Amino acid sequence: MSDLANKMENLSVGDSDGNKSSYVPPHMRGKRGGGRGGASFANNDREGGSSSYFSGGRGQGNGRNGGGSFFGGRNGGSGGFGGGRGNIRGVGRWTAGKHVPSAVDEGLELQLFGTADDSNFQSSGINFDHYDDIPVEASGNDVPEPISEFTSPPLDPLLLENIIKARFTKPTPVQKYSVPIIAAKRDLMACAQTGSGKTGGFLFPVLSESFANGPAAVPEQMANSYIKKAFPTAVVLAPTRELATQIYDEAKKFTYRSWVRPCVVYGGADIGSQIKELNRGCDLLVATPGRLSDLLERGRISLCNIKYLVLDEADRMLDMGFEPQIRHIVDGCDMPSAENRQTLMFSATFPMDIQHLARDFLKDYVFLSVGRVGSTSENITQHVLYVEDMDKKSALLDLLAASDDGLTLIFVETKRMADALTDFLIMQDLRATAIHGDRSQVERERALAAFRSGRASLLVATAVAARGLDIPNVTHVINYDLPNDIDDYVHRIGRTGRAGNTGVATAFFNRGNKNVVKEMIELLTEAKQEVPSFLEQLSRESYGSRGGKSGGFSSNRSSSTRDYRRMGGGAPGGSPSYGGGRGGSAAGGARGGSSWGSSWGGSGNGNSWGNNSSSNSSASNSWW
Ligand SMILES: Nc1ncnc2c1ncn2[C@@H]1O[C@H](COP(=O)(O)OP(=O)(O)OP(=O)(O)O)[C@@H](O)[C@H]1O
């Protein structure tokens, strides 16, 4: 042993129990609480301050340690978790192993849950009960039985109260299954149509378990970190800032009065105020990947206590733009391994290549599909019109003139087009605004707020608004430009016809969109929509001489409608016989010309398949 090592061995390192896990500086040795949970040495003076060894902020009343600690550690035994959050409205406590909900706050309740006749809150529509008719398929080992109602048990009583306050009278199919699957500590990949309640699908079981079981203790060394850190129990990753905010707003409803405090972090907003919020306590963190990585690097968040990792819009989160960031967060920081956390993935679409990649993050998961993966809701009436590019503006004006009073969302492919078209619409005296990636966060938020409130009845958007956004009263979605990927179309039109409400989607189609013609026909047929004859004609032209595949056209849709483990062509340990691969263009429609066999009958147990899909892209995610 070296001289130095010898000296270190003989130092009084460790706590009173003789544990050698934390260094106690000379001036603190022998003092009360000098080890676990007590004041500790700052081992990482990252901010360069010379005298400020202690972060001290938690001493301002966080109260989690139950005494003695300058830090935010939660392992204080008798101390109340969330105790020092007493002044935060609607946030309860976890004290001495018990959940202590906060007092009722009627003003806050009104803000969170609104009233039944407030149109700013989405209420379920006439077709809500039809969700029960959608076939559900759950594959994997020992899939738990679904619930049929919201009851306690199995749901935590406080959560049930909040669900009732939100006027949710019965679970949607994805919620019926996700509650028991997640309660059984299983991983989940869930595919359900747009607007069918996937957010509740992950929030309800995660919160129910969290309310009942309380927080995990922060590892001692972590609790003693110099930098004040947040130690969330659950992290939800979402692809856009707006979606992250929306999930956070939902989380605020369902965590009302509980010990679980949700926080949201996303890029383009002041990081200082986000850090302040984190420092007030953060148990459920909703984040976009870039900002989360940043905060992890700054040491402001530790993921060591994560029990639940949720990827909302999971296929988007694992596609070429985000995958490296997700891998960094999941594998490159201090998040527990897949074996020691639950990983939950949700989306309306889940292409085969992405399902294949996703297994890197999952263990023994249940695959749940409500309806066919990637199908559109029958609540949306879809029209496809043949419109040449040069005629699109006048066709749009005609459509708008014929529209009802609801909100209309208009999708275009480029940011420049979004600005130009908005300008054009405003010149026509129409109340239009725009959202796209070149607008500042403040502008984006203002545009969305104007649209939500109806001050602007038209929102021109790029794909940034395609996923997840839940805006009541959107009655019409217009694809002024069609996307190259049919899954993007599915998400875009899903901004209407939500929660059992009805809506209309109109697409302008011309020869420039031939790459999606086949999938478009499949989608329309599946959703019992009218297929215009020009689409059939174009399909024959495009595919007649090509044998139905290849030539750079999109892969057969049937390849992405199921649990890939159940498709033919792979036994445990073998390699699945799909020809897609991540080498294909993600944005270009073709996911590599998948050639999955249509045979079924895999074991339903795909968990021991070969691993290590390649992460081959550093493509940026600024495509919107
Ligand atoms: N059980 C329920 N009863 C009534 N309304 C519900 C229920 N669950 C969810 N909702 C409402 O349905 C709407 C759509 O839910 P949500 O946004 O979770 O859909 P989603 O499946 O995530 O959609 P997307 O695929 O577009 O992200 C929301 O307004 C939500 O409040």
Side-chain angles (χ1 to χ4, degrees):
M1 195 181 279
S2 73
D3 221 345
L4 180 63
N6 260 326
K7 280 182 190 159
M8 293 300 288
E9 267 289 288
N10 295 329
L11 279 174
S12 173
V13 176
D15 59 19
S16 53
D17 301 335
N19 294 332
K20 294 200 173 189
S21 53
S22 64
Y23 173 68
V24 182
H27 69 286
M28 294 304 294
R29 287 177 204 151
K31 293 195 178 169
R32 184 181 70 84
R36 179 180 301 157
S40 306
F41 182 65
N43 57 6
N44 187 1
D45 190 1
R46 288 173 62 154
E47 285 171 10
S50 55
S51 58
S52 162
Y53 282 87
F54 302 100
S55 59
R58 300 268 182 165
Q60 291 158 9
N62 181 288
R64 289 177 176 184
N65 274 14
S69 175
F70 288 90
F71 297 97
R74 294 173 173 186
N75 47 349
S78 64
F81 186 82
R85 305 165 180 185
N87 292 334
I88 306 180
R89 290 172 69 189
V91 179
R93 286 180 296 138
W94 182 270
T95 302
K98 286 217 169 68
H99 195 186
V100 185
S102 71
V104 169
D105 180 331
E106 283 174 7
L108 182 60
E109 266 182 35
L110 195 63
Q111 267 175 41
L112 293 174
F113 301 103
T115 53
D117 54 359
D118 185 342
S119 62
N120 289 316
F121 289 79
Q122 183 92 259
S123 49
S124 52
I126 47 165
N127 289 342
F128 190 80
D129 285 341
H130 292 183
Y131 284 136
D132 289 339
D133 304 334
I134 303 176
V136 179
E137 192 176 296
S139 48
N141 296 317
D142 304 323
V143 179
E145 285 299 307
I147 57 167
S148 55
E149 291 171 3
F150 287 131
T151 52
S152 173
L155 293 172
D156 179 273
L158 179 61
L159 177 69
L160 185 62
E161 272 182 35
N162 291 338
I163 289 174
I164 292 166
K165 284 192 172 85
R167 295 175 288 281
F168 289 8
T169 50
K170 69 172 182 178
T172 64
V174 67
Q175 294 162 3
K176 286 178 183 174
Y177 279 81
S178 67
V179 167
I181 289 171
I182 296 169
K185 308 240 173 295
R186 299 293 298 279
D187 283 5
L188 176 64
M189 187 187 284
C191 303
Q193 288 170 350
T194 52
S196 67
K198 292 186 288 295
T199 314
F202 58 79
L203 283 181
F204 297 160
V206 165
L207 294 178
S208 186
E209 295 295 304
S210 302
F211 289 5
N213 299 329
V218 173
E220 186 176 325
Q221 277 167 318
M222 285 290 190
N224 292 342
S225 164
Y226 157 58
I227 295 181
K228 201 191 284 186
K229 279 185 202 292
F231 293 92
T233 310
V235 64
V236 181
L237 296 175
T240 66
R241 302 157 189 183
E242 288 75 15
L243 181 54
T245 306
Q246 182 181 292
I247 296 168
Y248 166 68
D249 287 339
E250 285 294 286
K252 277 198 292 193
K253 274 186 207 167
F254 296 111
T255 56
Y256 171 57
R257 297 183 61 218
S258 78
W259 69 265
V260 176
R261 180 165 195 261
C263 277
V264 63
V265 297
Y266 50 81
D270 175 38
I271 199 164
S273 30
Q274 290 179 355
I275 290 172
K276 260 192 208 148
E277 276 301 308
L278 291 171
N279 288 345
R280 297 178 82 196
C282 167
D283 309 303
L284 182 144
L285 178 65
V286 188
T288 53
R291 181 51 61 93
L292 176 57
S293 290
D294 191 353
L295 287 160
L296 286 166
E297 270 159 33
R298 291 170 188 238
R300 294 298 184 170
I301 295 173
S302 164
L303 300 176
C304 69
N305 262 4
I306 289 298
K307 286 188 188 167
Y308 305 100
L309 165 66
V310 182
L311 300 186
D312 194 21
E313 307 298 343
D315 54 333
R316 174 73 189 106
M317 300 304 287
L318 295 177
D319 78 8
M320 292 165 78
F322 280 114
E323 189 211 336
Q325 294 180 33
I326 301 295
R327 279 194 191 276
H328 169 71
I329 291 166
V330 175
D331 297 329
C333 300
D334 59 349
M335 185 182 291
S337 67
E339 289 304 318
N340 296 309
R341 62 165 197 258
Q342 277 181 266
T343 308
L344 315 170
M345 301 191 179
F346 286 75
S347 185
T349 51
F350 230 122
M352 286 297 163
D353 53 344
I354 304 281
Q355 282 191 43
H356 191 236
L357 176 69
R359 67 191 175 167
D360 284 4
F361 300 89
L362 295 158
K363 59 170 192 303
D364 191 22
Y365 64 95
V366 175
F367 181 92
L368 180 66
S369 61
V370 182
R372 308 242 296 172
V373 176
S375 61
T376 51
S377 166
E378 286 177 30
N379 295 332
I380 308 166
T381 304
Q382 299 178 54
H383 300 295
V384 185
L385 308 177
Y386 193 94
V387 184
E388 294 293 359
D389 287 346
M390 62 184 192
D391 298 326
K392 281 183 177 178
K393 279 187 179 152
S394 55
L396 177 64
L397 292 181
D398 284 346
L399 264 185
L400 294 177
S403 282
D404 61 16
D405 289 343
L407 304 176
T408 300
L409 185 51
I410 304 163
F411 282 104
V412 295
E413 271 302 87
T414 65
K415 303 167 203 174
R416 184 183 295 197
M417 181 50 126
D419 281 337
L421 189 60
T422 309
D423 205 34
F424 167 77
L425 292 170
I426 290 171
M427 302 289 270
Q428 308 300 313
D429 274 342
L430 293 166
R431 288 176 293 125
T433 184
I435 185 166
H436 59 70
D438 274 356
R439 301 204 80 189
S440 70
Q441 187 54 26
V442 172
E443 287 171 333
R444 279 162 65 157
E445 279 167 22
R446 271 198 206 129
L448 211 51
F451 187 55
R452 273 186 198 278
S453 69
R455 272 180 288 125
S457 58
L458 306 176
L459 180 67
V460 183
T462 56
V464 72
R467 284 184 179 250
L469 290 188
D470 185 54
I471 301 170
N473 305 323
V474 174
T475 50
H476 197 175
V477 173
I478 299 174
N479 273 290
Y480 186 90
D481 297 324
L482 269 167
N484 286 317
D485 187 327
I486 200 73
D487 285 349
D488 291 341
Y489 171 81
V490 170
H491 287 278
R492 286 180 180 191
I493 69 168
R495 298 318 97 212
T496 188
R498 302 175 69 74
N501 292 287
T502 54
V504 175
T506 306
F508 292 169
F509 195 101
N510 59 40
R511 285 176 183 276
N513 307 116
K514 276 201 304 192
N515 59 335
V516 289
V517 68
K518 190 166 183 289
E519 290 164 309
M520 197 81 180
I521 292 172
E522 286 177 14
L523 204 66
L524 294 170
T525 311
E526 205 175 359
K528 303 190 181 84
Q529 304 293 309
E530 191 187 328
V531 179
S533 56
F534 70 82
L535 277 186
E536 307 272 17
Q537 174 63 31
L538 277 172
S539 174
R540 278 193 295 276
E541 279 175 26
S542 304
Y543 290 92
S545 58
R546 294 170 192 263
K549 284 185 188 176
S550 76
F553 290 93
S554 298
S555 59
N556 187 331
R557 249 192 98 61
S558 62
S559 66
S560 63
T561 54
R562 304 270 175 183
D563 181 355
Y564 92 102
R565 297 173 302 180
R566 300 194 58 187
M567 307 299 281
S575 102
S577 67
Y578 77 113
R582 312 263 306 145
S585 141
R591 277 202 160 100
S594 147
S595 60
W596 284 79
S598 57
S599 64
W600 285 62
S603 64
N605 169 5
N607 307 309
S608 55
W609 291 46
N611 49 25
N612 271 342
S613 52
S614 58
S615 114
N616 62 355
S617 166
S618 57
S620 86
N621 52 29
S622 66
W623 48 279
W624 49 58

